[in-house]
Amino acid sequence: MHPHDLMKYAQWPFRILAEVALVGLVVITAVDVIGRVVFASPLGFAYELVGLLLGVSVYAGLIGMNWTRDHIRIDLIEGFLRRFPRFDRIRAGGVWLLEVVFFTIVALYVARQAVQMQRWHETFLFLPLEKWLPLAVYAGFAALAALSTALAVIPKLQARKEDLK
């Protein structure tokens, strides 16, 4: 099996998880709003579950997004930088390094928060779940996103054009 295919298949479950979380967000929000407006009886756990699913969709989605380098671009100075094409590789390397550092810091920070929350054994108001558990999952996803960013520059692992469609 080609290393690229291995990376592609390793990320498939996270893409599905992010998609399911997004659908869950829509369904739970719709049921909560309909229950609140029509029946005057909202879902008590909707706020907490929407927050958990939002975290899952963001952090699980980061893994594939970072690997394909398919992030949002802010092109305020791109026109200016085009005048210096010889610096493109340096600029790309600097941006890549910043991304790796950023996502590593995010992973470490979220893991630290999970450890701190575990000490208190605090649970959600409606969901019978300690708050540190989802944070630990998010920290794992963020670590995988940082790893995915780091691996994105290895030529044999880089996303192919058919994957970006």
Side-chain angles (χ1 to χ4, degrees):
M1 178 177 271
H2 192 273
H4 170 270
D5 295 329
L6 183 63
M7 287 295 293
K8 182 179 172 183
Y9 291 122
Q11 292 177 13
W12 175 80
F14 299 106
R15 186 175 338 149
I16 297 298
L17 184 61
E19 291 171 1
V20 168
L22 287 172
V23 170
L25 282 167
V26 171
V27 170
I28 290 168
T29 302
V31 169
D32 185 49
V33 169
I34 290 169
R36 182 178 306 133
V37 172
V38 176
F39 302 109
S41 180
L43 297 175
F45 60 87
Y47 177 77
E48 293 170 344
L49 194 54
V50 164
L52 290 175
L53 291 174
L54 182 61
V56 168
S57 65
V58 168
Y59 285 107
L62 279 176
I63 297 165
M65 182 211 60
N66 286 353
W67 179 63
T68 58
R69 313 281 294 148
D70 197 22
H71 46 76
I72 296 172
R73 294 179 182 211
I74 301 173
D75 57 359
L76 295 175
I77 60 172
E78 188 174 352
F80 173 75
L81 292 175
R82 277 193 207 135
R83 293 187 233 160
F84 307 102
R86 72 182 103 167
F87 296 115
D88 282 349
R89 291 185 71 197
I90 294 170
R91 179 180 47 84
V95 168
W96 172 81
L97 183 63
L98 283 173
E99 288 177 24
V100 170
V101 169
F102 174 76
F103 287 113
T104 301
I105 290 171
V106 168
L108 292 172
Y109 179 76
V110 175
R112 189 178 118 220
Q113 288 297 110
V115 169
Q116 289 177 353
M117 293 293 272
Q118 186 183 23
R119 290 183 194 144
W120 295 100
H121 299 288
E122 186 177 347
T123 60
F124 289 98
L125 185 60
F126 293 101
L127 298 175
L129 181 69
E130 289 191 15
K131 291 183 178 181
W132 70 270
L133 285 168
L135 284 176
V137 170
Y138 300 159
F141 287 168
L144 288 173
L147 178 63
S148 190
T149 303
L151 295 176
V153 297
I154 298 173
K156 287 189 177 187
L157 297 179
Q158 286 180 346
R160 295 178 183 160
K161 291 185 181 185
E162 63 266 13
D163 292 338
L164 300 176
K165 292 179 182 177

